[in-house]
């Protein structure tokens, strides 16, 4: 039996999104039907709408979500109806070369639901990141459901499904930030502020926030930045060096993802320091660096895809930290909205007015 529910659909490149009736099938083998309770509005959803991911329109948008399992298909043994879950887009396979080498956080053979969700006329929808959670219900692979403590509000828990996890993971998992480190974060949107929060959790001594917007820099202080730099007013590399005894930061996290910010990150790190790229560049962007500088400075350059997270490990831990009062996930929620407000939320996000708008169903 198909479930007729409301969902937010992007019909074509650059077109305004609309709330449509969509049909969600009962779960088949290995699948789970989830009643969505909350879903954050992420830049990735806007990239889908703009055709920046691929051209497989129409898209069912939304992926940063939490909700309750309503039904499971055959063969699902680790979930049952009533479980409170965060949805993730890295349902590891367990059998690829990364998984078999004990590195499931690098799995690229991840699972999605096999059955399509459709419009009423039968047109198949492409769910954003294999989730499609701007909807009252969605169908996912059971491995995309991570059980967490149900005491956490859904509008807070769901943020770990993408942006907040990406930022915290960039600092802790990819960057390996530890006590006493100096850390600089370029770009203080949701992902950058999450990286700042992660660096504080890990015990970094100096946390430098860099942005063009004084309001965002003030937000960054709330998440743990010890110093701020307005890149319109200061040379970023010089300013970071001044704040780190002339050395540069141990870890510099580029949460913007542009050649200009990556170069700043590269030269603002200490010798043998680490650059972490978590901001998502566009396919047309090119980077030019003197190869001698790459060779002579030592250290490392890493990309951080989904914060190199392992949902089964990281989501429950971070929810526990939230419930203990050690991680203020609620501070990322700028507003709660309805399904019909997603288009305005895209505009607010584009103009930097919010950290996260969260659809509550």
């Amino acid at each position: 039996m198909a479930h007729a529910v409301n969902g937010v659909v992007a019909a074509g490149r650059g077109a305004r999104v609309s709330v449509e009736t969509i049909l969600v099938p009962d779960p088949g083998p290995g699948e789970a039907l989830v009643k969505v309770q909350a879903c954050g509005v992420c830049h990735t959803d806007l990239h889908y709408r703009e055709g920046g991911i691929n051209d497989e329109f129409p898209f069912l948008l939304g992926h940063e979500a939490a909700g309750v399992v309503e039904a499971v298909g055959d063969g699902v043994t680790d979930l049952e109806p009533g479980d409170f879950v965060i949805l993730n887009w890295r349902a590891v396979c367990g059998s690829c070369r990364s998984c078999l080498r004990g590195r499931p956080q690098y799995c690229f053979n991840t699972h999605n639901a096999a059955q399509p969700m459709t419009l009423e006329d039968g047109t198949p929808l492409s769910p954003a990141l294999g989730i499609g959670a701007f909807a009252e219900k969605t169908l996912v692979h059971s491995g995309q459901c991570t059980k967490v403590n149900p005491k956490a509000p859904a509008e807070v828990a769901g943020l770990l499904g993408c942006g907040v996890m990406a930022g915290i993971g960039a600092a802790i998992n990819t960057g390996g930030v530890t006590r006493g480190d100096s850390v600089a974060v370029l770009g203080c949107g949701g992902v950058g502020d999450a990286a700042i929060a992660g660096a504080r959790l890990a015990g970094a001594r100096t946390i430098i926030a860099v942005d063009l917007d004084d309001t965002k820099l003030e937000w960054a202080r709330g998440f743990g930045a010890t110093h701020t730099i307005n890149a319109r007013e200061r040379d970023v590399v010089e300013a970071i060096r001044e704040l780190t005894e002339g050395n540069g930061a141990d870890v510099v996290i580029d949460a913007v993802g542009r050649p200009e910010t990556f170069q700043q990150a590269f030269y603002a790190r200490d010798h043998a320091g680490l650059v972490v790229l978590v901001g998502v560049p566009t396919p047309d962007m090119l980077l030019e660096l003197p190869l001698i500088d790459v060779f002579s400075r030592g250290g490392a350059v890493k990309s951080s895809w989904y914060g190199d997270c392992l949902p089964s490990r990281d989501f429950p831990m971070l929810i526990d930290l939230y419930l203990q009062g050690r991680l203020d996930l609620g501070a990322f929620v700028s507003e709660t909205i309805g399904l019909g407000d997603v288009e305005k939320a895209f505009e607010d996000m584009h103009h930097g007015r919010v950290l996260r708008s969260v659809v509550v169903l």
Side-chain angles (χ1 to χ4, degrees):
M1 180 185 73
H3 303 257
V5 301
N6 292 319
V8 176
V9 173
R13 184 186 295 266
R16 292 176 64 87
V17 300
S18 59
V19 178
E20 306 288 344
T21 298
I22 65 170
L23 302 180
V24 183
D26 279 331
E31 296 175 340
L33 178 68
V34 176
K35 180 176 174 56
V36 179
Q37 295 180 324
C39 185
V41 180
C42 176
H43 273 93
T44 303
D45 293 302
L46 183 57
H47 290 327
Y48 271 107
R49 193 200 73 171
E50 297 301 307
I53 306 294
N54 58 52
D55 291 319
E56 296 172 6
F57 292 95
F59 291 110
L60 175 60
L61 299 181
H63 60 279
E64 193 178 78
V68 174
V69 174
E70 194 165 278
V72 298
D74 291 343
V76 177
T77 59
D78 55 350
L79 290 175
E80 60 184 24
D83 284 341
F84 179 61
V85 296
I86 299 173
L87 300 182
N88 75 78
W89 42 273
R90 177 171 265 174
V92 299
C93 72
S95 59
C96 71
R97 64 187 185 281
S98 292
C99 289
L100 292 176
R101 295 176 68 189
R103 301 172 182 175
Q105 67 270 30
Y106 300 125
C107 175
F108 279 82
N109 188 28
T110 54
H111 296 304
N112 294 313
Q115 299 181 89
M117 294 179 279
T118 70
L119 296 174
E120 285 187 290
D121 64 3
T123 302
L125 293 164
S126 299
L129 289 174
I131 293 177
F134 285 153
E136 293 161 332
K137 297 181 184 181
T138 191
L139 184 73
V140 295
H141 189 279
S142 62
Q144 294 179 276
C145 299
T146 304
K147 290 189 286 189
V148 296
N149 194 322
K151 293 180 180 178
E155 61 267 27
V156 166
L159 298 179
L160 294 178
C162 191
V164 171
M165 184 68 255
I168 292 176
I172 295 177
N173 295 335
T174 314
V177 174
T178 190
R179 58 190 181 277
D181 278 352
S182 58
V183 179
V185 178
L186 279 58
C188 298
V191 174
D193 282 345
I196 289 168
R200 179 170 66 176
L201 270 177
R205 178 183 62 179
T206 302
I207 305 174
I208 304 164
V210 182
D211 204 282
L212 301 169
D213 186 318
D214 284 332
T215 298
K216 289 186 176 181
L217 291 173
E218 189 60 32
W219 291 345
R221 282 194 176 274
F223 287 102
T226 59
H227 304 80
T228 60
I229 298 168
N230 188 316
R232 295 187 189 278
E233 301 171 359
R234 299 286 309 279
D235 179 277
V236 170
V237 175
E238 288 183 5
I240 291 174
R241 290 190 174 279
E242 286 178 12
L243 293 169
T244 54
E245 302 175 343
N247 300 317
D250 296 310
V251 180
V252 185
I253 299 170
D254 178 3
V256 180
R258 295 188 57 85
E260 306 94 308
T261 53
F262 188 90
Q263 285 192 357
Q264 289 172 334
F266 182 83
Y267 287 109
R269 67 190 173 112
D270 197 355
H271 71 275
L274 173 63
V275 177
V276 176
L277 176 64
V278 66
V280 182
T282 58
D284 61 306
M285 291 180 179
L286 299 176
L287 177 68
E288 184 173 332
L289 283 172
L291 191 57
I292 188 63
D293 287 353
V294 177
F295 171 77
S296 62
R297 295 177 60 83
V301 172
K302 293 184 176 181
S303 62
S304 184
W305 197 69
Y306 206 1
D308 286 337
C309 78
L310 186 58
S312 59
R313 174 195 65 195
D314 294 338
F315 290 4
M317 172 194 69
L318 293 173
I319 289 296
D320 285 347
L321 292 176
Y322 163 75
L323 292 172
Q324 294 164 13
R326 297 165 62 191
L327 175 61
D328 190 3
L329 292 174
F332 289 94
V333 182
S334 302
E335 61 177 358
T336 55
I337 61 174
L339 283 175
D341 302 317
V342 169
E343 186 67 39
K344 182 180 182 299
F346 282 154
E347 181 181 346
D348 289 342
M349 179 177 61
H350 178 71
H351 291 287
R353 301 178 189 132
V354 294
L355 273 179
R356 266 301 184 268
S357 301
V358 179
V359 174
V360 175
L361 296 99

